[in-house]
Amino acid sequence: MTIALYPGSFDPVTYGHLDTAIRAARLFDTVVMAVFDRPKKNLLFSTAERVEMLREATRNLPHIRVETYNMLTVHYARQIGAKVIVRGLRVASDFEHEFQMAQINQTLEPDVDVVVFMASHKYTFLSSSTVREMAGLGGDVSELVPPHIVEALKRKFGSSV
Ligand code: ADP
């Protein structure tokens, strides 16, 4: 049984993240989407909010479960028995960061491999930061995130979203 760990900030989860998770769940037995519990600096939503929103977004998705962690990603991977770390690649500028992290992770934990999914073309330009920015300025994000996230953004920014 292959467990894949899909770590991220998910601040908030977008259809791009979900697309990657669903595709990963076709290849691996279980995909653990894990919210990195880091200090709230530069984050819009708390860890509890991000986890709750992600759980709701994945409620009906088979083989995907949601957890939170606050240690090195490779240590968490080892803790849950994950042999694979899933990441997504959108544009060339993602590459350097993902490559660097993969190299560090491989040095720390050679038994865990990083598998990178190319973003689906319709989500190539979608990021949590774009969603936060658009929502903060009153833009319509309903094509980018599930309905309960639209509502959560409205509560954060007021009802102009
Ligand atoms: P982090 O802070 O770890 O980068 P994110 O939540 O921003 O957390 O992203 C988690 C992972 O999901 C990253 O590998 C990122 O490249 C990927 N990702 C984000 N948005 C998309 C998208 N639209 N399509 C595919 N992968 C994505």
Side-chain angles (χ1 to χ4, degrees):
M1 162 144 155
T2 309
I3 299 171
L5 169 63
Y6 182 14
S9 305
F10 306 112
D11 184 40
V13 62
T14 69
Y15 283 135
H17 293 124
L18 294 173
D19 179 69
T20 300
I22 290 166
R23 288 162 59 203
R26 293 202 296 247
L27 292 183
F28 307 114
D29 298 298
T30 300
V31 174
V32 177
M33 295 185 80
V35 175
F36 184 39
D37 179 16
R38 63 179 164 93
K40 198 165 180 277
K41 205 173 134 207
N42 297 330
L43 291 173
L44 180 61
F45 293 100
S46 70
T47 301
E49 289 171 320
R50 287 179 288 136
V51 168
E52 183 52 40
M53 288 188 292
L54 194 47
R55 289 223 163 106
E56 176 64 24
T58 56
R59 203 151 48 99
N60 297 316
L61 299 178
H63 313 298
I64 296 176
R65 62 170 216 261
V66 175
E67 305 288 353
T68 180
Y69 72 108
N70 62 359
M71 60 185 82
L72 273 177
T73 300
V74 283
H75 290 171
Y76 184 61
R78 193 197 304 150
Q79 183 175 303
I80 64 170
K83 288 271 174 238
V84 171
I85 292 176
V86 166
R87 296 289 287 175
L89 205 59
R90 287 158 295 185
V91 285
S93 53
D94 277 350
F95 177 77
E96 212 164 318
H97 175 64
E98 295 296 341
F99 187 66
Q100 200 174 21
M101 284 210 309
Q103 303 275 294
I104 294 167
N105 286 342
Q106 201 182 28
T107 308
L108 293 171
E109 194 68 53
D111 288 346
V112 175
D113 262 303
V114 177
V115 173
V116 176
F117 284 77
M118 300 294 164
S120 297
H121 69 92
K122 61 179 175 173
Y123 300 129
T124 300
F125 294 99
L126 175 53
S127 66
S128 298
S129 59
T130 306
V131 168
R132 294 195 302 271
E133 212 166 304
M134 281 177 67
L137 294 169
D140 178 7
V141 293
S142 57
E143 301 281 303
L144 310 178
V145 295
H148 68 285
I149 308 283
V150 176
E151 292 309 312
L153 288 161
K154 278 184 187 163
R155 286 194 295 276
K156 280 281 174 202
F157 289 118
S159 57
S160 61
V161 179

